[in-house]
Amino acid sequence: MELLYIAAALMLGLGAIGAAIGIGILGGKFLEGAARQPELVPLLRTQFFIVMGLVDAIPMIGVGLGLYVLFAVAG
Amino acid sequence: MRKDEAEQAPAARSRHGQRSFRGFMRIFLLQAALILLVSAACLLLGRVEAYSALLGGGLYLIPNLYFTWRALGNRHANSARTVLVSMYASEIGKMMLAVALFSATFLLVRPLSPFSLFGTFILLQLSGWMLQVKLFKTGS
């Protein structure tokens, strides 16, 4: 039973680390692009939004599976 | 930049934001139709599978609608700093909403078919990638 909690914690924690690294790099690149060409901010905003959706899709699935293990399997 | 160009720039930015906001809303409408189709197909397997598919679709759509409304709905966010702040705040809200909805679903809904719930959820993530890349591949 304890292993299920460890599995859920790993799924949630590793997903969070991956999303944090990806979104941090993305935000840094957005600021670089906006500093170079401020007139492109609206275009960069749309691209930022799309890539943010791509980056956090897999962690969201991991969060869902982790909570399923936590509440439905172990609970 | 000339004076008339400087006056037109915020309006052009606002128009661009509105256009992309409408594009994303169109994607969500297509995805809502896809949820209904998948749920109708799952009805052939059973009632539990059908409402699990509906729940999986809702678990995808509600946080993403909030994210889009919060991140792109603010027309006054034109500087890089305000855009970044609104994106990060919306992402945190989306994550918290997703965790709350997943927890509530797994605690309150019994019986549940995990295969149709996660199948629909993953299908919507994939369709979201494809539709967004297809709709915005021109870079507009």
Side-chain angles (χ1 to χ4, degrees):
Chain A
M1 185 61 86
E2 290 81 18
L3 283 178
L4 282 176
Y5 290 115
I6 293 172
L10 280 176
M11 275 191 246
L12 295 170
L14 291 178
I17 290 172
I21 292 172
I23 292 172
I25 291 172
L26 190 61
K29 296 288 178 190
F30 170 76
L31 283 180
E32 269 179 32
R36 280 178 208 273
Q37 283 177 296
E39 71 275 9
L40 285 184
V41 165
L43 180 65
L44 290 173
R45 181 189 193 184
T46 308
Q47 304 293 351
F48 185 24
F49 182 84
I50 291 172
V51 181
M52 205 172 206
L54 298 182
V55 166
D56 81 340
I58 303 298
M60 288 291 279
I61 295 170
V63 165
L65 285 171
L67 290 172
Y68 178 72
V69 169
L70 203 61
F71 290 119
V73 180
Chain B
M1 190 183 283
R2 290 199 329 256
K3 193 184 170 194
D4 54 336
E5 283 178 351
E7 282 169 358
Q8 284 170 0
R13 286 177 181 184
S14 175
R15 271 201 305 278
H16 181 90
Q18 277 176 315
R19 214 171 47 230
S20 47
F21 183 72
R22 277 203 298 271
F24 284 111
M25 285 300 151
R26 220 167 42 232
I27 289 175
F28 287 135
L29 267 180
L30 284 173
Q31 285 180 320
L34 185 66
I35 293 169
L36 291 179
L37 272 177
V38 171
S39 182
C42 286
L43 202 55
L44 298 173
L45 299 172
R47 261 184 60 208
V48 175
E49 281 78 7
Y51 74 69
S52 298
L54 269 182
L55 283 173
L59 286 172
Y60 171 84
L61 267 190
I62 295 169
N64 276 291
L65 272 173
Y66 171 78
F67 180 51
T68 309
W69 168 74
R70 187 80 205 274
L72 296 181
N74 183 9
R75 289 171 200 162
H76 304 295
N78 284 325
S79 72
R81 187 176 170 274
T82 49
V83 167
L84 199 66
V85 167
S86 78
M87 284 284 177
Y88 280 168
S90 338
E91 180 65 26
I92 292 166
K94 176 187 166 184
M95 283 278 180
M96 286 172 66
L97 200 56
V99 168
L101 288 173
F102 268 115
S103 307
T105 304
F106 295 137
L107 284 174
L108 300 175
V109 183
R110 301 268 162 91
L112 197 67
S113 167
F115 291 105
S116 56
L117 189 142
F118 284 110
T120 314
F121 188 74
I122 293 169
L123 179 74
L124 285 171
Q125 298 276 12
L126 294 176
S127 72
W129 291 349
M130 282 188 285
L131 287 171
Q132 285 177 7
V133 169
K134 200 171 172 180
L135 200 73
F136 293 98
K137 75 178 170 191
T138 52
S140 62

